[in-house]
Amino acid sequence: MDEARTFRGGCACGQLTFEARGEPRRVGLCHCMTCRKESGSAFNAFAIFAADRVTIGGEMKTWSAVPGGERCFCPICGSQVFYRDAADEIEIKLGAFDEPNLFTPTYEAWTIRREHWLRTADLIAYPENRGERTS
């Protein structure tokens, strides 16, 4: 693991930025209804970093779907950039990184809501939150 590597990114207009240092703790997909609705996509793809390894720049607005967590977005362009929770982690959307193809998901959550046309046989699948594995 290269702790010195820094990954950068931000919102569509460039006002809200981040720098993440080191490798992510995990990389995954989520098919829950909240992720589907807030992303406008069939799933949310993200990399999770320890909060103390991420530096945020610019202004943001937040929205909470559950206690202890904040979905953070740019107040200017509305881009959803990351989610932070009370567990000291930040979940950064893969599309918010400046560079593509940095990370490959290894698991997916809420597969009970996955679109039938989406094929992800190589990922560890959890029917709801990460927990009991189904495949």
Side-chain angles (χ1 to χ4, degrees):
M1 180 169 13
D2 179 11
E3 290 296 329
R5 190 158 181 206
T6 301
F7 304 99
R8 293 175 177 79
C11 66
C13 74
Q15 185 279 137
L16 177 57
T17 62
F18 65 83
E19 285 189 354
R21 296 170 306 285
E23 296 299 319
R25 290 180 171 176
R26 58 193 179 279
V27 180
L29 305 177
C30 183
H31 304 278
C32 81
M33 256 341 207
T34 303
C35 283
R36 292 169 59 95
K37 295 282 187 175
E38 67 92 24
S39 71
S41 180
F43 58 89
N44 176 27
F46 52 84
I48 296 178
F49 290 85
D52 65 355
R53 306 295 292 165
V54 179
T55 304
I56 307 298
E59 291 183 50
M60 71 180 126
K61 294 281 186 180
T62 62
W63 172 74
S64 295
V66 295
E70 296 179 311
R71 295 177 182 276
C72 304
F73 59 96
C74 175
I76 296 171
C77 67
S79 296
Q80 303 283 334
V81 179
F82 59 91
Y83 170 83
R84 57 185 176 186
D85 64 18
D88 298 323
E89 292 184 328
I90 293 184
E91 177 184 290
I92 302 173
K93 293 184 175 293
L94 294 186
F97 287 91
D98 288 344
E99 190 177 333
N101 301 309
L102 291 172
F103 311 110
T104 301
T106 59
Y107 74 96
E108 58 185 333
W110 285 94
T111 57
I112 60 172
R113 296 200 182 275
R114 180 179 55 214
E115 295 287 334
H116 71 277
W117 50 262
L118 185 60
R119 303 288 180 245
T120 57
D122 56 335
L123 299 180
I124 297 168
Y126 300 102
E128 293 182 358
N129 285 324
R130 283 189 320 130
E132 188 173 322
R133 185 177 163 180
T134 59
S135 61

